[in-house]
Amino acid sequence: MHNWWLTKYFFAPLYYVRLLRAPPTVIMFPRQWEMSSKGLRRQKRDWVIPPINVPENSRGPFPQMLVSIRSDQDRNISIRYSITGVGADQPPNEVFSIDPVAGKMFVTKPLDRERRSSYHLRAHAVNMNGERVESPIDLYIYVIDMNDNRPEFKNQVYNGSVDEGSKPGTFVMHLAAFDNDDNTTANGMVRYRILSQTPHSPIPNMFTINSETGDIVTVAAGLDREKVSQYSIIVQATDMEGNLNFGLSNTATAIISVTDINDNPPELTSRTFSGEVPENRVNVVVANLTVIDRDQPHSPNWNAVYRIISGDPIGHFTIITDQHTNDGMVTVVKPVDFEQNRAFMLTVVVNNQAPLASGIQSSLQSTSGVTISVVDINEPPYFPTNPKSIRFEEGVPAGTSLTTFSASDPDRFMQQSIRYSKLADPADWLSINNTNGQIITTATLDRESIYVKNNIYEATFLAVDNGSPMASGTGTLQIYLIDVNDNAPSLLPRESQICERINRNAGINITAADTDTDPNVGPFVFELPTFPASIRRNWTVSRLNGDYARLSLRTQYLEPGVYEVPVIVTDSGNPPLSNRSIIKVKVCPCDENGDCTLVGAVAAAGLGTGAIIAILVCIIILLSMVLVFVLWMKRREKERQTKQLLIDPEDDVRDNILKYDEEGGGEEDQDYDLSQLQQPDSLEHIISKPPGVRRVDERPIIPESQYPIRPVVPHPGDIGDFINEGLRAADNDPTAPPYDSLLVFDYEGSGSTVGSVSSLNSSSTGDQDYDYLNDWGPRFKKLADMYGGGDDE
């Protein structure tokens, strides 16, 4: 075995050296036909040209001769040799070359098998004219692999996991390394081994790796997450089939996490727990149960689930798990009563969300007792029957005792008294005895009251004990009022109209309204009174059904007007009640459709012909007065407009709209020279200025005045001073426009038809009377005071 390794790995490089230093092989072009005296004769086929093997990463020197190629015709003629193909005249170019005369083929640089493992070239032989003298031959060059690449892991760190308590031989994870060398030789054959394990608990070799596949498996029992939750393993990959003397190596780290299983049952920290709860309270935490679980926190193997297995048959309590601490919070979900249960003895068991692992038994500490004490508090009084319903006929007089509405105190172990009061009595019909709860009427009960809904009257009462603190309860009393016939019916409608002449279908349908209920309402009886006699002489009532009747004329004609017809309505109560009601009937002339006409309606309203004429005359007089007033206003407006003014209309200076003749227009008037309006900087150009300049203002060449500077935030009292100082500075500033300067005018020519204005003089040789200004109205009062006021005294 030792000699085989020396031969394979130690003498292999020497073999490659001998291969390079061996005499070069001569490759001859094969010849299939030759000429003889007897003609063309076939020769035997030459042997197959063997491939050329070239080791990679050769150190040279270069160029290095590989083979010699020749043709047997080089004895007679001069032949030139060449090679073509990838590595010769195709990329990568010039890896191989050939001596065109001698036919020696060379490699010019080191080869890399990992880039290209073989080359296919063709050798050519031509004469000096470039004519082919031999058929091309194929040359196959193989690059022999050298162990120049070490195994490489895809990742430096690999993560795997295995359940705690796993048996030996359990698969954990897989690692793989890749070697770029030829995997058909020892150069690319990788083997794996574990260099180290951290920590060494419980033994240093908890895992092993398959040297060929890279699978990591457990080799020993004893994995316990609660003791060691993670292992770190250094794995080495070596080529040359794992030979450490000749192979190249690389390492990677495998992180193996020990996953948790539910191998630790939860254990309560105490055998007994206690708490207390006030009675009649819900959603209150009364006890806190603590538990220990060594499994992975916040996992199903750690999360606790509490159950009450005895001591609470009705379900007053539940246990809620705190998601952060895993504690059990005993919570009241149904109110407890001190008078019924002064304490509860609960038995609680705790489990995990996930079931225990196979072979793991529950702990005795998974069960505990919980004692809950009920604290007595002052409970409010309550009415045993709430609401309480009673029945009475309406009309019960004041002072009648209806019932006793008393409350009970649930605190049987407290000696307390209860007092009563009225909380709500909409109609103020009732009173209650403050010690025994007796209900007495203070007014007559009326079913037809607005405070009675569906025949029921409701009142609310308050019961208060004398505990500390005091507690109160409310109760509702419902009084069902039985109807009695205490309301007479009333006639409907109260007004109507009918034609003055009897008609077959003419008549007024009447009915009655009664605030009572059955059987104290309809059917109703309608009849006309016997007095006065004209009622039954002119009118008649006929029954339609139990609730309706028809009122119609008995005579053929009745004078138009408004008639008050009394009708007696009687209900069906026991005893029956009657009511004499008045219906106002308008009797009027009708058209062919049986509808009252407009004149007839007016006549029916009780107005005679004289009254109608008087109304029309009044309307005509009122319209005439309005017309006369309008004509008078128009005439007055016309006189005011035609009144002559004291001055000539042309001299009237009041606000008027004046119309002037248009003097401009046309394209010639729109050619303006705006440069004439600009102020020149000096007067030197005035002489050279073209005609048309009207004036030039010269700014005085003196220092400008200094104006007061306004403060950033002026005081309100300084604003007046600031304005006065600025005004004073502007009045005394000679550099402020308009400037007092020389005015230059252009000569406009002679021959004007307008006379000289030098003869105009504003002075007067004599006194002028301005008293007439007083007659021009208030607009000229100021001028009259200035010029017409007489001499100053």
Side-chain angles (χ1 to χ4, degrees):
M1 180 69 179
H2 179 70
N3 294 334
W4 180 84
W5 277 104
L6 290 177
T7 302
K8 187 172 185 179
Y9 297 110
F10 180 74
F11 294 106
L14 297 179
Y15 164 77
Y16 295 137
V17 172
R18 292 187 61 188
L19 181 64
L20 293 175
R21 294 181 178 178
T25 303
V26 178
I27 299 177
M28 299 295 293
F29 283 93
R31 180 169 298 276
Q32 300 179 2
W33 305 92
E34 66 175 5
M35 295 296 298
S36 65
S37 58
K38 296 181 180 181
L40 192 64
R41 183 170 58 89
R42 180 171 180 169
Q43 286 187 336
K44 294 189 300 180
R45 182 179 299 274
D46 293 342
W47 57 83
V48 177
I49 299 175
I52 303 171
N53 295 321
V54 180
E56 65 172 335
N57 302 325
S58 175
R59 297 182 179 180
F62 295 100
Q64 195 173 63
M65 183 176 175
L66 299 180
V67 294
S68 178
I69 302 173
R70 62 179 298 273
S71 171
D72 55 1
Q73 297 190 35
D74 59 355
R75 304 170 185 170
N76 303 323
I77 59 175
S78 297
I79 296 179
R80 295 294 181 264
Y81 301 97
S82 64
I83 56 175
T84 60
V86 177
D89 61 344
Q90 300 177 18
N93 297 342
E94 300 180 354
V95 176
F96 302 96
S97 64
I98 190 171
D99 186 339
V101 178
K104 296 180 179 180
M105 180 176 164
F106 301 91
V107 58
T108 62
K109 60 180 68 174
L111 302 181
D112 188 355
R113 191 202 67 85
E114 285 69 41
R115 291 188 177 180
R116 192 174 187 87
S117 60
S118 65
Y119 296 87
H120 178 202
L121 303 178
R122 305 198 76 184
H124 305 271
V126 297
N127 58 19
M128 299 301 294
N129 296 326
E131 297 175 351
R132 189 178 71 178
V133 297
E134 297 284 357
S135 299
I137 60 175
D138 293 321
L139 302 177
Y140 293 94
I141 303 172
Y142 294 102
V143 182
I144 300 175
D145 182 45
M146 302 289 287
N147 190 19
D148 57 345
N149 293 278
R150 64 179 64 246
E152 296 289 342
F153 287 96
K154 183 178 180 180
N155 302 313
Q156 283 300 312
V157 179
Y158 291 83
N159 293 293
S161 62
V162 61
D163 290 340
E164 61 176 333
S166 296
K167 297 179 180 180
T170 302
F171 174 79
V172 179
M173 60 188 301
H174 172 76
L175 277 73
F178 178 76
D179 196 320
N180 288 325
D181 291 326
D182 189 359
N183 58 5
T184 62
T185 67
N187 297 335
M189 296 181 181
V190 180
R191 298 295 182 265
Y192 305 92
R193 72 190 187 102
I194 295 177
L195 296 182
S196 64
Q197 169 191 308
T198 305
H200 292 173
S201 176
I203 61 174
N205 299 317
M206 290 294 297
F207 305 93
T208 186
I209 188 170
N210 188 304
S211 62
E212 295 184 1
T213 62
D215 293 338
I216 298 177
V217 296
T218 61
V219 294
L223 290 175
D224 190 350
R225 190 204 65 84
E226 287 72 36
K227 295 179 179 180
V228 179
S229 61
Q230 183 175 281
Y231 290 90
S232 178
I233 296 177
I234 305 299
V235 178
Q236 183 185 59
T238 306
D239 58 14
M240 301 297 289
E241 295 182 301
N243 187 283
L244 301 178
N245 296 323
F246 304 103
L248 302 178
S249 301
N250 213 336
T251 61
T253 302
I255 304 297
I256 301 176
S257 298
V258 181
T259 56
D260 183 48
I261 64 173
N262 194 12
D263 57 345
N264 294 282
E267 297 178 353
L268 292 164
T269 59
S270 177
R271 297 293 298 172
T272 59
F273 295 89
S274 62
E276 62 180 20
V277 55
E279 62 175 336
N280 301 321
R281 296 280 300 276
V282 294
N283 298 325
V284 178
V285 177
V286 297
N288 193 64
L289 312 181
T290 56
V291 70
I292 295 176
D293 195 323
R294 291 183 294 274
D295 289 322
Q296 184 176 358
H298 306 291
S299 68
N301 300 329
W302 179 82
N303 295 335
V305 178
Y306 299 86
R307 291 184 300 112
I308 300 174
I309 58 176
S310 66
D312 185 23
I314 303 180
H316 290 286
F317 305 94
T318 187
I319 303 179
I320 302 174
T321 304
D322 189 310
Q323 300 298 325
H324 300 285
T325 63
N326 217 25
D327 293 345
M329 298 177 291
V330 182
T331 307
V332 182
V333 294
K334 291 182 180 180
V336 295
D337 190 356
F338 176 82
E339 284 71 30
Q340 295 181 359
N341 294 291
R342 297 188 180 185
F344 292 87
M345 302 296 296
L346 308 179
T347 302
V348 177
V349 64
V350 60
N351 300 106
N352 293 124
Q353 288 182 351
L356 291 175
S358 177
I360 305 299
Q361 299 295 328
S362 299
S363 173
L364 296 177
Q365 296 181 352
S366 298
T367 304
S368 294
V370 182
T371 302
I372 305 298
S373 300
V374 181
V375 180
D376 188 19
I377 62 173
N378 186 26
E379 299 177 81
Y382 69 96
F383 291 87
T385 304
N386 191 14
K388 182 176 182 179
S389 299
I390 59 176
R391 296 171 64 92
F392 276 91
E393 286 187 352
E394 63 172 331
V396 174
T400 302
S401 176
L402 300 181
T403 186
T404 299
F405 197 27
S406 59
S408 300
D409 193 344
D411 299 314
R412 299 193 305 269
F413 302 100
M414 298 181 183
Q415 299 298 326
Q416 298 178 152
S417 61
I418 300 176
R419 300 186 67 84
Y420 303 92
S421 61
K422 188 168 59 173
L423 188 62
D425 183 12
D428 198 18
W429 287 344
L430 308 174
S431 66
I432 187 170
N433 188 292
N434 59 3
T435 58
N436 59 14
Q438 185 180 14
I439 307 297
I440 300 176
T441 61
T442 58
T444 302
L445 304 185
D446 185 8
R447 193 200 65 84
E448 287 75 33
S449 172
I450 60 174
Y451 302 106
V452 178
K453 307 297 181 183
N454 297 324
N455 301 330
I456 296 176
Y457 178 75
E458 285 190 353
T460 306
F461 299 92
L462 184 68
V464 183
D465 62 19
N466 60 348
S468 180
M470 292 188 299
S472 62
T474 60
T476 302
L477 179 65
Q478 295 180 343
I479 305 174
Y480 185 89
L481 295 177
I482 303 173
D483 184 44
V484 297
N485 194 18
D486 57 346
N487 294 279
S490 60
L491 186 68
L492 292 177
R494 308 306 295 269
E495 294 183 358
S496 185
Q497 62 183 17
I498 194 172
C499 295
E500 61 183 356
R501 297 186 182 277
I502 191 171
N503 193 339
R504 177 182 302 175
N505 298 324
I508 302 171
N509 293 334
I510 58 176
T511 185
D514 198 329
T515 56
D516 292 324
T517 60
D518 289 334
N520 298 319
V521 288
F524 300 103
V525 176
F526 303 90
E527 57 183 350
L528 297 175
T530 57
F531 180 83
S534 60
I535 298 301
R536 291 197 172 188
R537 184 174 60 251
N538 297 330
W539 304 91
T540 182
V541 173
S542 58
R543 181 184 178 88
L544 297 179
N545 53 40
D547 294 331
Y548 287 89
R550 172 168 294 181
L551 177 65
S552 57
L553 291 177
R554 181 182 292 272
T555 61
Q556 293 296 325
Y557 172 79
L558 187 63
E559 184 179 355
V562 178
Y563 296 86
E564 293 184 353
V565 180
V567 178
I568 299 175
V569 184
T570 304
D571 59 22
S572 299
N574 185 19
L577 294 180
S578 300
N579 182 26
R580 180 187 175 101
S581 301
I582 300 297
I583 178 173
K584 291 184 178 181
V585 181
K586 294 181 181 180
V587 179
C588 58
C590 297
D591 54 16
E592 61 277 5
N593 296 324
D595 299 326
C596 284
T597 60
L598 179 60
V599 177
V602 174
L607 299 179
T609 304
I612 295 175
I613 295 175
I615 292 174
L616 294 177
V617 171
C618 292
I619 293 175
I620 294 174
I621 293 174
L622 181 60
L623 293 176
S624 301
M625 292 177 63
V626 172
L627 181 61
V628 170
F629 179 75
V630 171
L631 294 176
W632 177 77
M633 289 297 295
K634 288 186 176 181
R635 180 177 181 183
R636 182 178 177 183
E637 179 68 18
K638 184 176 181 181
E639 291 178 354
R640 187 182 64 82
Q641 293 179 358
T642 56
K643 183 178 181 181
Q644 182 66 32
L645 295 175
L646 298 177
I647 61 175
D648 189 74
E650 296 180 357
D651 298 332
D652 188 5
V653 296
R654 293 179 295 179
D655 294 339
N656 292 305
I657 299 177
L658 304 179
K659 179 180 179 183
Y660 298 90
D661 292 337
E662 183 180 0
E663 297 182 356
E667 296 181 356
E668 296 179 356
D669 293 339
Q670 298 179 2
D671 188 10
Y672 304 113
D673 185 8
L674 299 180
S675 63
Q676 306 299 329
L677 303 179
Q678 299 176 355
Q679 175 182 339
D681 296 333
S682 65
L683 298 176
E684 297 178 359
H685 65 287
I686 295 177
I687 300 176
S688 61
K689 194 79 171 173
V693 178
R694 295 294 177 263
R695 61 179 293 176
V696 178
D697 291 353
E698 179 181 6
R699 181 173 183 171
I701 307 176
I702 60 175
E704 296 183 359
S705 300
Q706 297 297 325
Y707 289 89
I709 300 177
R710 182 178 181 182
V712 178
V713 183
H715 189 275
D718 298 337
I719 295 178
D721 297 339
F722 173 75
I723 295 175
N724 293 331
E725 291 179 6
L727 180 61
R728 189 180 306 109
D731 291 339
N732 299 327
D733 185 7
T735 63
Y739 311 121
D740 294 334
S741 58
L742 175 64
L743 303 181
V744 181
F745 300 92
D746 286 347
Y747 178 70
E748 298 183 355
S750 60
S752 175
T753 58
V754 181
S756 176
V757 297
S758 61
S759 61
L760 297 178
N761 191 354
S762 61
S763 63
S764 178
T765 56
D767 296 335
Q768 185 174 352
D769 185 11
Y770 294 98
D771 292 339
Y772 62 88
L773 294 175
N774 293 321
D775 299 332
W776 286 9
R779 293 177 179 265
F780 297 91
K781 185 176 183 302
K782 188 66 176 178
L783 290 175
D785 294 341
M786 294 173 59
Y787 293 97
D791 298 336
D792 295 335
E793 297 180 359

